Amino acid sequence: MLKAILWDVDGTLAETERDGHLVAFNRAFEALALPWRWSQERYGELLAVAGGRERLLHDMQTQPQAPALPAERTALVERIHVLKNQLYAEIIAAGALPLRAGVSELFEDCAAAGVRMAIVTTTSEANVAALLAARLGPGWRSRFAAVLCAEQAPQKKPDPQVYLRALQALKLAPAEALAIEDAPAGVAAAQAAQVAVVVVRSYYFPSFAVPGVLAVGPSLGSTHGWRPPSVATPDGRIHLSQLTQWHQAAQRRS
Ligand code: XBP
């Protein structure tokens, strides 16, 4: 029986990478008078590295003007990251990051059906709080039975730690939960924790192979384009009943 939906954040709840983190990273570079910027294309490559700090450190290996000493690099990464997160919060406050289509309706479906929800992300708590407080209001946290971020699970996706800790917090077996993810690392993390995954395609991850997932589609806001197909709904979006049906079909197969 499906008892909880485990939500990824970046790319799944909102297009935070392209419209939030990337913009904020570039503004931080500019504010700190650093001589490099990331293009949308370069950021797509860098998303293979989970975590903002880790991404910055990785990129500095190819930046000729980055500090040479490891300690100086780490200190600069910290300065950029703190500022990036402030700027990210400002972008959200300006209203630039709406929830993706169908997300808030699914939140409502879960609340109505008594299906618990958790946040399961590699991003920092402050970023999750900034996004969800802005989109759901100050009481956002009470909507989630557990909120697991980088601070609670430092071994970032594709490591399954964040999923294993979410299951632990919810006291659930993997078969009682379903993850919604957009990125290969997230899918790998959920599957390594034996949690079934629904993949919703996002700007940066439009087409990676998804063997073994319950379903994959372009948007929770539309029943079109899903594999396996979704049933049509009066409002044209994916409902919790559809997720439950995919979940049950997979349980029967296993
Ligand atoms: C996405 C990430 C994060 C963000 C940046 O995590 O990889 O690193 O890009 O966040 P998820 P920080 O898909 O699991 O939500 O700068 O706070 O690390």
Side-chain angles (χ1 to χ4, degrees), residues 8-10 17 21 25 43 47 49-53 55 81 84-85 120-124 127 156-157 182:
D8 170 51
V9 173
D10 293 294
E17 297 293 7
H21 292 293
F25 274 118
Y43 193 65
L47 282 176
V49 182
R53 284 187 194 82
R55 201 166 293 145
H81 195 250
K84 184 277 284 184
N85 284 349
V120 179
T121 175
T122 326
T123 198
S124 16
N127 291 341
K156 297 187 176 178
K157 301 173 186 176
D182 74 308

Side-chain angles (χ1 to χ4, degrees), residues 56-127:
L56 284 163
L57 256 184
H58 173 84
D59 180 63
M60 279 187 194
Q61 293 168 9
T62 63
Q63 295 292 356
Q65 282 148 304
L69 293 176
E72 284 176 16
R73 274 193 191 185
T74 314
L76 180 57
V77 160
E78 205 47 49
R79 279 182 73 204
I80 300 169
H81 195 250
V82 166
L83 184 55
K84 184 277 284 184
N85 284 349
Q86 283 168 16
L87 296 165
Y88 178 76
E90 283 172 22
I91 290 167
I92 289 168
L97 286 176
L99 294 180
R100 291 187 64 188
V103 167
S104 45
E105 291 88 345
L106 261 176
F107 287 172
E108 298 305 328
D109 288 356
C110 289
V115 169
R116 288 183 291 163
M117 300 196 297
I119 293 291
V120 179
T121 175
T122 326
T123 198
S124 16
E125 247 179 323
N127 291 341

Side-chain angles (χ1 to χ4, degrees), residues 72 134 151 158 170 180 201 226 237:
E72 284 176 16
E151 290 83 351
L170 298 171
I180 305 185
R201 300 294 193 187
W226 282 84
R237 69 175 177 90

Side-chain angles (χ1 to χ4, degrees), residues 143-173:
R143 301 231 202 167
F144 297 91
V147 177
L148 284 296
C149 305
E151 290 83 351
Q152 291 76 35
Q155 289 168 34
K156 297 187 176 178
K157 301 173 186 176
D159 192 286
Q161 188 183 57
V162 70
Y163 276 99
L164 295 172
R165 294 204 169 159
L167 292 171
Q168 213 174 20
L170 298 171
K171 298 188 170 48
L172 290 181

